[in-house]
């Protein structure tokens, strides 16, 4: 049962209680009541929750665009009768009405009625696919489906015996995107966990977040993140023993990295599998093997078109975008993204597996394997970022990558074209969308 004094969010300025949350929602509802659609760009998680809840209780559609860019916002609000942009910068607002500052109440309120009304809400929340293979697509969610997805993260906390209110939840993934929305925002709203208001990104952000958590009475923390972020956060996580668990999603986590983190002691590394269509649906502890356990009522059924996922909180079955192998005990193995199989010289490999091999190359900060479609065999290229502390030249970096590939795959999959750049065009979730892939392919083709 949620009490008024329970902590929903915390920051360097202190705690935000459920009582404060209920009062702040009441303050905002009148301010936004004239809109039919609310585009919520608020970067602070607490403010975002207030905006989301106020729109839900006003029966206003919340729109969470694929990116905080003017074009993405216009596309997301296309057809909206009276849209309002909540938060963001002037360049984001365009011709839309906007509200940047969230009003705050001076006195807490009883959250019981607010929570009950939210739990009964079926107001739409529009999220968008990541656009890694095509233009981002709109998906319709509501309180029930988003809390159902957050139950997967809560299942991890239950398995690790992390009780409500005992650990601070930190997140590197933006809360406007499906994974961050479920695993931070709705983990707080649906299950009473205490969420850090700011999005952490750099190692210094982890240090600051832990200091804020300790100041607010938490002696341990859980990091919700992705493999792309973990690559450069790993040294900090090995030092900060307050981090008791790492939860990763959006791409497979290399086994070796999970092993290094767990070797620290008192640190569990867990992964979530899901999609924008299904939300989070399965979990695994990386060091225990490659089988995934469906939770939160999910069931998978094999069909001629692939695996169908169903759950009590989903309105309909969803076809997975990955090829899976269903196991007798109800778990499954991922065989790869549908359409991600690469064929060269009569042999086959999975693009995700090749990327997992690449990112474990010691001298790299980041990298991606790209497929160039040919009339016959596929061709592979790599764009990578050398760690400047390694002191390696471009020629030495290429040699290190080829050595890494020779140790793990058939020689036909050794990339012939390897180029280096200062950074990869990753989205805030750590993925590279279709435009980014096209940009990198052009870069790879242009360099000798």
């Amino acid at each position: 049962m949620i009490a008024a004094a329970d902590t929903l969010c915390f920051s360097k300025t202190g705690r935000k209680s459920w009582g404060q949350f209920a009062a702040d929602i009441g303050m905002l509802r009148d301010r936004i009541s004239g809109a039919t659609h609310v585009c919520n760009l608020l970067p602070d998680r607490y403010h975002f929750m207030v905006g989301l809840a106020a729109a839900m209780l006003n029966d206003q559609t919340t729109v969470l665009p694929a990116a905080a860019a003017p074009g993405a916002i216009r596309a997301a609000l296309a057809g909206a009768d009276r849209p309002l942009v909540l938060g963001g910068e002037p360049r984001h607002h365009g011709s839309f009405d906007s509200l940047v500052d969230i009003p705050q109440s001076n006195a807490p309120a009883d959250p019981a009625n607010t929570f009950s009304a939210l739990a009964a809400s079926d107001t739409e929340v529009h999220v968008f696919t990541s656009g890694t293979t095509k233009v981002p697509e709109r998906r319709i969610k509501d309180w029930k489906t988003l809390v159902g997805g957050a139950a997967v993260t809560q299942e991890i906390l239950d398995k690790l015996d992390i009780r409500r209110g005992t650990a601070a939840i930190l997140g590197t993934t933006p809360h406007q995107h499906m994974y961050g929305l479920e695993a931070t925002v709705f983990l707080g709203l649906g299950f009473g966990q205490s969420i850090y208001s700011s999005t952490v990104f750099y190692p210094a952000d982890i240090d600051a977040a832990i200091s804020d958590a300790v100041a607010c009475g938490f002696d341990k923390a859980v990091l919700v993140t992705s493999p792309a972020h973990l690559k450069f956060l790993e040294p900090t996580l090995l030092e900060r023993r307050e981090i008791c668990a790492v939860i990763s999603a959006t791409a497979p986590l290399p086994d070796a990295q999970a092993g290094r983190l767990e070797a620290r002691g008192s640190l569990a590394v867990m992964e979530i599998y899901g999609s924008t269509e299904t939300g989070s649906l399965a979990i695994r502890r990386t060091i225990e093997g490659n089988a995934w356990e469906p939770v939160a009522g999910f069931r998978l059924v094999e069909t001629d078109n692939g695996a169908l996922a169903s759950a009590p909180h989903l309105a309909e079955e969803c076809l997975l975008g990955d090829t899976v192998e269903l196991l007798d005990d109800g778990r499954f193995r991922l065989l790869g993204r549908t359409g991600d199989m690469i064929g060269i010289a009569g042999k086959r490999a999975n693009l995700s597996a090749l990327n997992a091999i690449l990112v474990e190359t010691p001298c790299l900060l980041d990298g991606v394997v790209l497929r160039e479609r040919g009339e016959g065999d596929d061709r592979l290229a790599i764009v990578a970022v050398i760690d400047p502390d390694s002191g390696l030249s471009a020629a030495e970096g290429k040699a290190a990558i080829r050595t890494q590939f020779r140790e793990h795959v058939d020689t036909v999959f050794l990339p012939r074209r390897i180029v280096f750049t200062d950074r990869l065009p990753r989205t805030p979730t750590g993925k590279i969308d279709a435009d980014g892939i096209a940009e990198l392919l052009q870069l790879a083709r242009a360099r000798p």
Side-chain angles (χ1 to χ4, degrees):
M1 187 68 181
I2 298 297
D6 289 347
T7 300
L8 173 61
C9 286
F10 71 97
S11 68
K12 64 181 179 181
T13 61
R15 296 172 178 255
K16 292 290 188 180
S17 69
W18 273 86
Q20 184 69 50
F21 179 60
D24 289 347
I25 292 170
M27 292 283 290
L28 182 61
R29 289 183 66 181
D30 287 343
R31 295 283 299 276
I32 65 173
S33 61
T36 56
H37 294 68
V38 177
C39 179
N40 193 334
L41 303 181
L42 291 163
D44 179 279
R45 280 194 178 87
Y46 175 75
H47 292 160
F48 176 88
M49 290 182 188
V50 173
L52 178 72
M56 281 186 161
L57 296 183
N58 279 356
D59 199 24
Q60 297 162 302
T61 298
T62 291
V63 179
L64 306 178
I73 293 169
R74 287 194 300 271
L77 291 175
D81 185 16
R82 299 187 307 279
L84 171 73
V85 177
L86 199 58
E89 304 170 13
R91 65 187 180 89
H92 298 146
H93 302 155
S95 61
F96 301 121
D97 291 338
S98 63
L99 176 65
V100 175
D101 297 321
I102 302 301
Q104 295 189 38
S105 173
N106 293 323
D110 184 349
N113 290 337
T114 298
F115 185 81
S116 297
L118 287 171
S121 170
D122 60 1
T123 305
E124 291 183 354
V125 177
H126 292 193
V127 299
F128 290 80
T129 59
S130 60
T132 51
T133 58
K134 52 189 173 181
V135 175
E137 297 179 354
R138 189 184 305 263
R139 296 289 182 265
I140 310 302
K141 308 293 178 177
D142 60 15
W143 175 275
K144 179 181 177 182
T145 56
L146 292 166
V147 169
V152 174
T153 308
Q154 181 61 42
E155 179 77 14
I156 289 176
L157 300 183
D158 290 342
K159 284 181 177 290
L160 299 178
D161 196 27
I162 299 174
R163 295 184 301 279
R164 188 180 81 185
T166 64
I169 309 299
L170 319 180
T172 68
T173 304
H175 40 275
Q176 279 85 2
H177 297 85
M178 191 65 179
Y179 170 44
L181 183 65
E182 288 184 341
T184 59
V185 167
F186 275 86
L187 185 67
L189 293 178
F191 297 92
Q193 298 291 347
S194 302
I195 313 300
Y196 190 50
S197 291
S198 298
T199 296
V200 299
F201 189 84
Y202 297 106
D205 296 334
I206 297 284
D207 292 333
I210 290 174
S211 296
D212 294 340
V214 171
C216 289
F218 300 102
D219 59 4
K220 57 186 177 182
V222 175
L223 180 65
V224 175
T225 187
S226 70
H229 294 123
L230 278 176
K231 180 71 176 179
F232 59 89
L233 292 177
E234 182 178 329
T236 303
L237 299 180
L238 292 174
E239 294 174 2
R240 299 306 306 244
R241 301 193 70 85
E242 297 91 343
I243 302 288
C244 63
V246 168
I247 300 174
S248 178
T250 72
L253 184 64
D255 295 345
Q257 185 174 35
R260 290 193 300 270
L261 289 169
E262 291 234 9
R264 191 208 73 181
S266 302
L267 175 60
V269 180
M270 305 289 294
E271 289 183 85
I272 291 175
Y273 170 75
S275 66
T276 306
E277 292 81 2
T278 62
S280 302
L281 72 88
I283 63 175
R284 70 174 179 178
R285 189 164 185 167
T286 315
I287 64 169
E288 293 179 349
N290 61 4
W292 294 87
E293 176 190 359
V295 293
F298 270 99
R299 292 181 63 252
L300 299 186
V301 177
E302 189 64 59
T303 73
D304 292 340
N305 296 321
L308 280 175
S310 62
H313 60 274
L314 295 184
E316 59 185 9
E317 295 178 320
C318 295
L319 184 68
L320 297 187
D322 293 286
T323 303
V324 303
E325 175 191 1
L326 300 183
L327 305 177
D328 292 340
D329 61 2
R331 297 184 300 165
F332 64 92
R333 293 192 185 96
L334 285 176
L335 302 181
R337 188 75 181 168
T338 302
D340 265 5
M341 294 306 294
I342 296 167
I344 301 177
K347 298 181 178 180
R348 294 169 69 79
N350 181 267
L351 196 59
S352 296
L354 295 179
N355 273 296
I357 291 168
L358 174 65
V359 297
E360 281 296 294
T361 305
C363 67
L364 298 186
L365 284 180
D366 201 359
V368 63
V369 182
L370 305 170
R371 173 176 52 198
E372 296 184 89
R373 296 286 194 182
E375 293 182 2
D377 288 346
D378 292 324
R379 296 188 299 271
L380 297 179
I382 283 176
V383 180
V385 182
I386 292 182
D387 185 347
D389 293 335
S390 70
L392 296 186
S393 66
E396 291 169 328
K398 290 179 182 181
I401 290 172
R402 291 193 172 104
T403 297
Q404 171 81 345
F405 271 63
R406 285 191 188 98
E407 291 179 358
H408 294 91
V409 296
D410 192 285
T411 55
V412 301
F413 296 107
L414 290 179
R416 296 182 180 179
R417 190 186 298 271
I418 301 173
V419 300
F420 295 103
T421 187
D422 294 334
R423 59 176 294 275
L424 298 185
R426 293 193 180 275
T427 67
T429 60
K431 295 185 177 183
I432 303 177
D433 62 21
D435 289 341
I437 293 293
E439 174 188 331
L440 293 176
L441 279 171
Q442 185 176 9
L443 175 67
R445 292 166 183 153
R447 294 191 182 178

